[in-house]
Amino acid sequence: MSTPEGFVAVEDLVPGMQVETADNGLQTLLWVGSITMVPPAGDIDGVEAPRLTRISTEAFGPDRPLPDLILGPYARLLYKNVRCMDVLGTASAFVPAEAFRDGLSVIAVSPIAPVRVYHLGFAGQQTLRANGLDVESYHPGPQFGARMDRTTLQLFLSLFPHASGREGFGPMKIPRMTSYEFETLGEL
């Protein structure tokens, strides 16, 4: 990630650092989270295990990405297209990276060894540039606590020292589109 001190590997970022965002300049990194994905032991009850998404060099045009980019199972890419207006009323939206899989230059990858996947949290939703592609920072979304009981919600919020409540994650300026909504754009 780009910082005032130069490029810093995502695993070396710490809260308090300034990180360059794609549309809001330098922003203070408030939270760094990570999970370790282990090789799947197989599908469970017919449900496919989460997979990483690998985007080959220049899959989306010159230097997009450069070099290859591997994203976690819940990563979202910024998609800009006037056809989004038909679905969301805006010309851009964050779309799950898996929706772009084509089996050729954007593929599903199952790790063969444990791999760490990182999440970066800021005051509100941010757009970050990773290897030339715009990706969404971590934000649980406006409805994240709707299905949680009070105890689960408190436990979840305890993971985020910067967020005192639901509003502590800040605004989401760019809407999200589901994989299904993205697929239907081709049919409009």
Side-chain angles (χ1 to χ4, degrees):
M1 303 301 312
S2 182
T3 72
E5 292 77 32
F7 283 98
V8 176
V10 69
E11 58 268 21
D12 294 331
L13 294 170
V14 294
M17 292 179 82
Q18 295 287 300
V19 175
E20 185 73 34
T21 64
D23 53 359
N24 290 321
L26 290 173
Q27 294 292 314
T28 301
L29 179 62
L30 300 176
W31 178 82
V32 177
S34 66
I35 60 170
T36 299
M37 294 186 62
V38 297
D43 298 340
I44 301 171
D45 295 328
V47 177
E48 184 178 297
R51 302 194 195 297
L52 303 172
T53 298
R54 180 179 180 165
I55 305 172
S56 297
T57 298
E58 300 186 338
F60 295 124
D63 300 336
R64 298 189 65 232
L66 184 66
D68 286 9
L69 180 63
I70 298 178
L71 297 170
Y74 305 107
R76 292 181 184 88
L77 294 169
L78 185 63
Y79 178 71
K80 296 178 182 180
N81 188 308
V82 293
R83 298 188 81 188
C84 289
M85 288 288 227
D86 298 332
V87 177
L88 299 171
T90 181
S92 61
F94 282 109
V95 176
E98 65 184 22
F100 294 91
R101 291 179 186 160
D102 61 6
L104 203 57
S105 59
V106 183
I107 61 172
V109 177
S110 295
I112 59 170
V115 63
R116 199 164 207 77
V117 179
Y118 291 86
H119 313 276
L120 305 176
F122 298 86
Q125 177 193 50
Q126 298 296 326
T127 304
L128 304 171
R129 189 141 299 133
N131 295 13
L133 295 180
D134 290 341
V135 297
E136 183 183 28
S137 67
Y138 179 79
H139 194 293
Q143 303 296 324
F144 78 90
R147 295 187 181 137
M148 296 181 198
D149 61 41
R150 179 173 290 186
T151 303
T152 305
L153 180 59
Q154 288 175 338
L155 178 62
F156 177 79
L157 289 172
S158 73
L159 299 172
F160 305 93
H162 70 281
S164 58
R166 293 175 191 206
E167 51 287 328
F169 291 99
M172 283 185 63
K173 295 179 273 180
I174 301 173
R176 291 174 177 161
M177 183 179 283
T178 65
S179 294
Y180 175 76
E181 290 168 328
F182 177 72
E183 289 172 15
T184 62
L185 285 180
E187 299 170 7
L188 296 175

